[in-house]
Amino acid sequence: MIAAIMGQFGHPRGAAGRVAGWVMAHRRSNRQRNSWVVSLLEVQPTENVLEIGFGPGLAIAELSRRAGEQGHVYGIDHSDVMLRQATRRNAAAIVAGRVTLRRASVDQLPPALGGPFDAILAVNSLGLWPASAERLGELRRRLRPGGRIAIASQPRCPGATASTSRAAARQIEALLQGAGYTKTRTQTLDLIPPVVCVLAVNPGPDRGRSPPASDRTS
Ligand SMILES: C[S@@+](CC[C@H](N)C(=O)[O-])C[C@H]1O[C@@H](n2cnc3c(N)ncnc32)[C@H](O)[C@@H]1O
């Protein structure tokens, strides 16, 4: 039963998925890491924000508390079970028109999702995406120039330590730089194991990326 529930965190389904969602919503470290990541993004009341892989919707709730009348919080998750839990958790903000949640995978972003976004975040979700480097490139094109991204990881593999978290941060940072983001910086929340959050900026359409070698003039 425990193994079945653990396997559910990547794509919660059915009864075991509902338990996984409950665990994510109530585990103290999950709550702390989600509100910490949101605080790092310094979202302003007029901003449009997108979360990928919202799970039970903790960060969405925190973001919607910060969003003003002119801002909007969007989220996608590929799990029906998570969509239902996050919808219940954020029902008032959805009815008030401040939050939009959709079931979708990051590799098939709904065209009508909105954007360009001022900020995008993902908490313990990037490692589950198909072709994450490509996905980060697509997300950069959904950010306004100067828009921020925050990718957080708290490694949950057995035996994870501070060194596992540091390795995750280095990997995320390299992926973000490869996808054309600039100004990467890593913040750490001292839990067990530590949570790392890599923040970066979209420099704009083409700046920040070197042209392919074939396009360079000597
Ligand atoms: C470990 S959970 C983390 C949930 C939440 N961010 C949190 O920290 O509480 C990972 C979430 O990412 C979602 N997810 C995984 N792969 C996805 C994909 N390709 N597209 C959208 N969501 C995805 C899962 O359904 C799950 O809700």
Side-chain angles (χ1 to χ4, degrees):
M1 180 66 177
I2 289 173
I5 293 170
M6 289 307 288
Q8 286 291 325
F9 290 98
H11 193 154
R13 294 179 173 96
R18 287 197 291 278
V19 175
W22 189 92
V23 170
M24 286 192 269
H26 293 90
R27 200 172 184 181
R28 194 173 142 83
S29 61
N30 274 32
R31 302 187 72 85
Q32 285 178 302
R33 76 173 186 225
N34 275 284
S35 62
W36 175 71
V37 173
V38 171
S39 74
L40 292 177
L41 268 176
E42 299 181 349
V43 172
Q44 302 303 305
T46 53
E47 291 193 317
N48 288 327
V49 184
L50 169 66
E51 183 180 16
I52 309 290
F54 50 66
L58 299 178
I60 297 281
E62 189 73 33
L63 285 163
S64 78
R65 278 193 279 278
R66 291 163 185 256
E69 296 286 305
Q70 292 141 22
H72 199 93
V73 181
Y74 298 83
I76 62 153
D77 195 294
H78 65 174
S79 158
D80 266 334
V81 174
M82 290 302 93
L83 177 62
R84 280 198 294 277
Q85 290 193 2
T87 298
R88 272 203 300 279
R89 177 156 287 103
N90 292 282
I94 292 170
V95 169
R98 290 186 288 113
V99 168
T100 303
L101 302 181
R102 293 282 178 267
R103 188 177 84 81
S105 177
V106 65
D107 55 336
Q108 289 180 331
L109 291 176
L113 191 60
F117 298 100
D118 299 289
I120 295 179
L121 69 154
V123 183
N124 269 35
S125 151
L126 173 96
L128 302 161
W129 300 353
S132 53
E134 268 176 61
R135 305 289 80 84
L136 286 172
E138 287 161 9
L139 290 173
R140 188 169 73 79
R141 290 186 278 282
R142 297 281 189 134
L143 272 177
R144 69 162 171 80
R148 295 100 64 208
I149 191 164
I151 303 288
S153 169
Q154 183 178 32
R156 290 300 198 188
C157 49
T161 62
S163 127
T164 322
S165 302
R166 280 195 297 275
R170 283 194 296 274
Q171 211 174 358
I172 296 168
E173 201 168 317
L175 281 168
L176 285 168
Q177 287 167 356
Y181 295 86
T182 56
K183 300 185 184 171
T184 51
R185 64 190 170 93
T186 298
Q187 301 282 318
T188 303
L189 178 64
D190 197 12
L191 299 181
I192 303 174
V195 188
V196 288
C197 179
V198 185
L199 296 132
V201 170
N202 172 25
D206 291 308
R207 282 175 296 141
R209 284 189 75 76
S210 350
S214 57
D215 292 358
R216 283 184 212 135
T217 50
S218 49

